Amino acid sequence: IVTDAAAADVRIARLAQAAESAERTYTLAKERYDHGISALTEVLDAERFLYGTQNEWIEARAERAVAQARLY
């Protein structure tokens, strides 16, 4: 169980990093669009990826919380 918790913590940390990276990508895509450098589809793709990554991170945190609650 401790190994599972450690693995979950590592997964959560990696997903948090991925979400931060996706947020930077979205911000850059939005700035490029605002300055006429790229198309709206680039912004929408970045936004969709950002939301998906954030959703995975939230789900991983929720699964970890449920697992911890089951221990008690």
Side-chain angles (χ1 to χ4, degrees), residues 1-2 4-6 8-9 12 59-72:
I1 295 175
V2 173
D4 292 341
D9 289 341
I12 289 167
E59 286 177 1
R61 290 176 54 206
E63 289 170 8
R64 175 76 163 107
V66 168
Q68 282 181 318
R70 287 185 183 150
L71 291 175
Y72 298 104

Side-chain angles (χ1 to χ4, degrees), residues 1-2 10 28 40 46 57 63 65:
I1 295 175
V2 173
V10 169
L28 179 60
L40 180 59
W57 176 64
E63 289 170 8

Side-chain angles (χ1 to χ4, degrees), residues 24-35:
R24 286 190 301 271
T25 300
Y26 167 75
T27 300
L28 179 60
K30 180 83 168 80
E31 288 175 4
R32 289 172 50 88
Y33 174 74
D34 289 344
H35 290 94

Side-chain angles (χ1 to χ4, degrees), residues 16-67:
Q17 289 175 342
E20 289 173 12
S21 177
E23 190 167 353
R24 286 190 301 271
T25 300
Y26 167 75
T27 300
L28 179 60
K30 180 83 168 80
E31 288 175 4
R32 289 172 50 88
Y33 174 74
D34 289 344
H35 290 94
I37 299 171
S38 66
L40 180 59
T41 55
E42 184 179 322
V43 176
L44 297 175
D45 286 343
E47 186 176 48
R48 184 181 57 226
F49 183 73
L50 170 61
Y51 291 157
T53 304
Q54 288 174 333
N55 190 46
E56 284 184 60
W57 176 64
I58 291 166
E59 286 177 1
R61 290 176 54 206
E63 289 170 8
R64 175 76 163 107
V66 168

